[in-house]
Amino acid sequence: MGPDRKEVPLSQGTQAVVVGKGRGAPGDGSSMGGRPSSPLDKQQRQHLRGQVDTLLRNFLPCYRGQLAASVLRQISRELGPQEPAGSQLLRSKKLPRVREHRGPLTQLRGHPPRWQPIFCVLRGDGRLEWFSHKEEYENGGHCLGSTALTGYTLLTSQREYLRLLDALCPESLGDHTQEEPDSLLEVPVSFPLFLQHPFRRHLCFSAATREAQHAWRLALQGGIRLQGTVLQRSQAPAARAFLDAVRLYRQHQGHFGDDDVTLGSDAEVLTAVLMREQLPALRAQTLPGLRGAGRARAWAWTELLDAVHAAVLAGASAGLCAFQPEKDELLASLEKTIRPDVDQLLRQRARVAGRLRTDIRGPLESCLRREVDPQLPRVVQTLLRTVEASLEAVRTLLAQGMDRLSHRLRQSPSGTRLRREVYSFGEMPWDLALMQTCYCEAERSRGRLGQLAAPFGFLGMQSLVFGAQDLAQQLMADAVATFLQLADQCLTTALNCDQAAQRLERVRGRVLKKFKSDSGLAQRRFIRGWGLCIFLPFMLSHLEPGCKKELPEFEGDVLAMGSQALTTEGIYEDVIRGCLLQRIDQELKKTLGANDVSCTLDGCLEVPWEQEGADEETEAEREGGACPRQPDSGAQIQPLCPPPSQGTFRS
């Protein structure tokens, strides 16, 4: 907890607090204890606003500094040498999404709570809504409730969910006999879908059949990942700056280990940061005063948390919205001031970094040798197995999909079934049932990798798994876009079925070759990036007591540079990051036998979700003469040449 932070005095009047969406709000969850929900009182909301204001006051200076550093990094990458082995596949311009999923479910809600039928809709952006019945949805009526799925965990075991609920209030475990079974989920639920969140009310649904439960499980998991990795997928300098600022802010608060707090939008991330800071005090102040027993009390606790979370999220959203004009102006100003002097800034940075590296070399090498080197081989190998298995599954699905198209082309070159097959092929990256094989591979090493990383304070396994799954989906999307583009260019109406199928076979081979190249590059980036996430915070924490004492003597040189893009602390971290990456690269060369793993400045500043080179011209475009891609466009890629066979192979 920061020095300026005051505890939230929510203990007053909490004995009757079972918080919901607002007084009289319909359907967005229910009290297990059977009492009507009520909001936080005015005094409690004022205290929470004060907490958010303090958070923003301490965080925004970090954010401004990281915006400057991010602009410098972006400009240096644009002007610097490009990677010798850039992306070969065409970059898909289809935005990440989930397929809209809808259907009847039952939900535990009402006062007293009971299972009631609803009609549920998962939107393409990953937002979940539920209606009183299907007609209400079809007629554009108001939903009973809705939620962003960020931060939720889906459970399909009633026993597992009850254990989790019991753990929220362990002091009340002996009180179950005082409660009514119906209100405590003791009645068996055949096909449950429990959505649990550390700071929000729990949502309890049930499907009618196992097949419906499975379909909803895939859809909800896709929505959770889509909304959780919105910042990690972004290529914008501001997104990278925000994530770095959160990390630095938390380091200043004494928290060095990586975890899953950065999942979600910027406002959701800041809300999670504040909720984690305040949770111990909130539990101590309010939990003893909550009425009810056992699971009813645990449910009431989640509803209280939900109200606090909603108030904090509203304040964080308003604060970041108010900062937006300043941020836009700052980014424009930084671009104008940094770009003309970028070469000089980088030379000055390199000089300071060299001197600083010399001063801290002893303790830095000692930390690497004693703490990192013994575990690095196992971590690298486990990361490699995680991403390698997932991408191999992608390759298998991709090859099968191209084979189906070739087979269909031989049978019916212009029929409806071929067009339907092309559409299905283009939708492969967003087909959750199909991609589940790849996503499950990313999950397999979670336990082993978590055990290896935990001693270094890394608790971000959900983020890591999401990162591997996003990578699999992106490479599938790129490969599909490349195949459809090249197929559309090489097929003409003058070809017979056999000739067209032969050309499609050649395209298949080229795409698989490009996929192999991009897959290898993606694996190295994934391992380097997540290796940094695991080891760098630990090293910074380990070295802080001794090495940071050396920083003040460099402060004058850095200030003399006259740029907010360079700070002593930033250069210090870059030095440690660079030395750690050298170790990771050495291990990668042993493991992969790669000769092109290098630690450039760009690599030293690399993060796991960056797709460097994404805005460069790819081989597919050079060969096919495709239209230039717009970096910020979400439109589909369209071929320049007239589409043969009525554009059958357009993506």
Side-chain angles (χ1 to χ4, degrees):
M1 188 176 298
D4 298 339
R5 197 63 51 75
K6 297 179 181 178
E7 294 183 352
V8 185
L10 290 175
S11 56
Q12 297 179 358
T14 54
Q15 290 187 347
V17 172
V18 181
V19 183
K21 190 176 181 181
R23 190 178 300 276
D28 195 7
S30 307
S31 164
M32 283 286 285
R35 287 180 292 274
S37 61
S38 60
L40 296 168
D41 62 33
K42 182 178 180 180
Q43 182 184 7
Q44 292 165 344
R45 290 185 179 278
Q46 287 176 340
H47 279 288
L48 289 174
R49 278 196 294 270
Q51 297 293 305
V52 175
D53 290 344
T54 302
L55 170 67
L56 291 170
R57 189 163 57 249
N58 293 332
F59 171 76
L60 289 180
C62 289
Y63 193 13
R64 294 185 186 97
Q66 291 307 306
L67 284 169
S70 188
V71 170
L72 173 61
R73 185 183 301 113
Q74 180 76 12
I75 294 173
S76 65
R77 181 179 298 126
E78 292 172 4
L79 301 179
Q82 300 298 322
E83 290 187 44
S87 299
Q88 298 295 305
L89 293 170
L90 188 69
R91 179 76 170 180
S92 172
K93 286 302 176 185
K94 288 188 175 181
L95 297 177
R97 57 185 168 85
V98 293
R99 286 179 171 177
E100 183 169 294
H101 190 78
R102 52 186 180 269
L105 292 173
T106 55
Q107 182 186 18
L108 189 66
R109 63 188 184 92
H111 304 284
R114 57 189 177 89
W115 291 99
Q116 301 181 48
I118 57 166
F119 188 79
C120 217
V121 180
L122 179 66
R123 300 292 187 180
D125 62 358
R127 185 168 185 83
L128 185 67
E129 299 176 351
W130 51 97
F131 299 79
S132 57
H133 46 78
K134 182 178 180 180
E135 291 72 23
E136 190 73 20
Y137 159 71
E138 292 176 338
N139 295 332
H142 293 293
C143 60
L144 292 173
S146 66
T147 187
L149 289 175
T150 308
Y152 275 99
T153 300
L154 177 64
L155 302 174
T156 55
S157 165
Q158 185 174 3
R159 180 178 299 177
E160 185 179 354
Y161 176 69
L162 292 178
R163 283 200 301 265
L164 184 149
L165 204 61
D166 291 340
L168 291 178
C169 298
E171 63 275 13
S172 300
L173 287 180
D175 298 333
H176 293 331
T177 56
Q178 303 173 19
E179 306 176 50
E180 295 181 7
D182 285 356
S183 65
L184 302 175
L185 292 166
E186 293 292 353
V187 174
V189 181
S190 297
F191 308 109
L193 296 157
F194 298 111
L195 285 168
Q196 178 269 336
H197 193 288
F199 312 124
R200 302 191 63 187
R201 81 169 72 246
H202 298 178
L203 299 172
C204 301
F205 301 104
S206 177
T209 65
R210 188 171 303 281
E211 291 73 18
Q213 181 196 43
H214 177 72
W216 273 108
R217 179 175 66 83
L218 295 182
L220 291 170
Q221 287 174 338
I224 291 169
R225 176 169 57 87
L226 179 71
Q227 292 211 326
T229 59
V230 60
L231 289 172
Q232 284 79 356
R233 295 192 313 268
S234 175
Q235 304 295 307
R240 167 67 185 269
F242 179 84
L243 293 169
D244 283 345
V246 170
R247 180 179 57 80
L248 285 175
Y249 168 81
R250 299 185 78 201
Q251 284 179 191
H252 294 160
Q253 306 296 312
H255 183 97
F256 282 85
D258 257 28
D259 52 27
D260 295 322
V261 76
T262 54
L263 292 175
S265 67
D266 50 4
E268 288 171 328
V269 168
L270 288 187
T271 298
V273 168
L274 184 56
M275 292 295 292
R276 291 198 183 204
E277 288 182 9
Q278 294 297 317
L279 191 59
L282 194 59
R283 284 185 68 93
Q285 292 173 16
T286 62
L287 202 54
L290 285 176
R291 289 180 181 171
R295 290 166 187 159
R297 193 179 189 197
W299 193 283
W301 165 245
T302 68
E303 294 190 318
L304 173 59
L305 284 178
D306 190 80
V308 175
H309 182 277
V312 172
L313 180 61
S317 299
L320 289 171
C321 185
F323 178 67
Q324 185 67 38
E326 178 188 340
K327 185 181 79 171
D328 294 340
E329 184 178 342
L330 179 60
L331 286 170
S333 173
L334 288 167
E335 170 73 22
K336 292 178 182 178
T337 56
I338 291 176
R339 189 173 289 276
D341 300 327
V342 63
D343 290 336
Q344 182 181 357
L345 287 173
L346 293 177
R347 284 195 299 270
Q348 291 172 327
R349 175 201 172 278
R351 282 197 295 269
V352 174
R355 291 171 49 209
L356 186 55
R357 188 180 299 109
T358 300
D359 281 9
I360 67 172
R361 178 174 296 162
L364 177 55
E365 282 296 321
S366 176
C367 179
L368 286 167
R369 187 171 56 255
R370 295 181 180 180
E371 307 292 344
V372 175
D373 289 350
Q375 295 296 326
L376 186 58
R378 281 180 286 183
V379 170
V380 166
Q381 290 164 12
T382 308
L383 284 170
L384 176 61
R385 282 197 297 269
T386 299
V387 67
E388 193 175 43
S390 182
L391 297 186
E392 182 58 32
V394 171
R395 186 196 181 283
T396 299
L397 290 175
L398 176 66
Q400 292 172 349
M402 292 187 292
D403 289 342
R404 282 195 302 271
L405 277 180
S406 181
H407 177 71
R408 185 62 62 193
L409 181 62
R410 290 181 185 274
Q411 289 187 330
S412 177
S414 59
T416 302
R417 295 182 66 181
L418 175 61
R419 288 193 291 273
R420 192 160 53 238
E421 196 73 54
V422 170
Y423 174 80
S424 297
F425 181 80
E427 286 293 297
M428 281 174 60
W430 326 117
D431 188 333
L432 291 170
L434 185 71
M435 293 293 292
Q436 191 63 19
T437 305
C438 314
Y439 297 159
C440 286
E441 291 294 345
E443 290 270 5
R444 291 190 193 281
S445 299
R446 179 197 287 263
R448 173 61 177 157
L449 192 54
Q451 290 176 350
L452 290 173
F456 298 94
F458 179 81
L459 302 174
M461 284 307 303
Q462 187 63 76
S463 298
L464 191 153
V465 170
F466 281 171
Q469 293 172 341
D470 278 348
L471 181 60
Q473 186 178 51
Q474 185 63 61
L475 277 176
M476 176 65 89
D478 293 348
V480 165
T482 304
F483 178 84
L484 292 176
Q485 176 87 353
L486 295 178
D488 197 58
Q489 291 166 1
C490 76
L491 298 180
T492 68
T493 54
L495 301 174
N496 62 36
C497 291
D498 287 338
Q499 291 172 329
Q502 289 172 3
R503 289 202 177 185
L504 214 57
E505 281 296 314
R506 289 197 291 270
V507 171
R508 176 189 186 276
R510 290 167 63 191
V511 170
L512 289 179
K513 184 178 178 181
K514 297 173 192 296
F515 179 86
K516 181 179 179 181
S517 173
D518 281 19
S519 178
L521 188 63
Q523 287 179 35
R524 291 191 289 275
R525 287 176 177 159
F526 181 88
I527 294 168
R528 297 175 89 224
W530 287 104
L532 283 176
C533 288
I534 291 170
F535 292 111
L536 181 59
F538 171 82
M539 291 186 64
L540 292 172
S541 175
H542 190 83
L543 295 171
E544 184 178 31
C547 291
K548 273 209 167 180
K549 295 177 182 177
E550 308 289 339
L551 299 188
E553 66 179 83
F554 296 93
E555 200 68 43
D557 294 337
V558 175
L559 290 174
M561 299 178 192
S563 174
Q564 55 187 320
L566 295 177
T567 64
T568 308
E569 184 177 18
I571 296 173
Y572 165 76
E573 288 199 7
D574 284 346
V575 167
I576 298 174
R577 181 183 289 109
C579 292
L580 174 57
L581 268 176
Q582 287 177 353
R583 283 296 213 279
I584 296 174
D585 287 342
Q586 290 170 8
E587 193 58 43
L588 270 173
K589 288 181 180 179
K590 294 177 187 175
T591 305
L592 298 174
N595 296 318
D596 56 344
V597 180
S598 61
C599 184
T600 61
L601 172 63
D602 187 37
C604 289
L605 298 173
E606 188 180 22
V607 291
W609 47 83
E610 282 189 332
Q611 301 286 336
E612 297 174 47
D615 295 329
E616 300 169 23
E617 185 183 44
T618 64
E619 184 182 340
E621 290 171 317
R622 291 192 296 270
E623 292 175 353
C627 298
R629 289 172 292 145
Q630 301 301 319
D632 297 322
S633 170
Q636 293 181 203
I637 302 162
Q638 298 294 345
L640 188 63
C641 57
S645 305
Q646 292 78 46
T648 299
F649 283 91
R650 276 194 188 181
S651 61

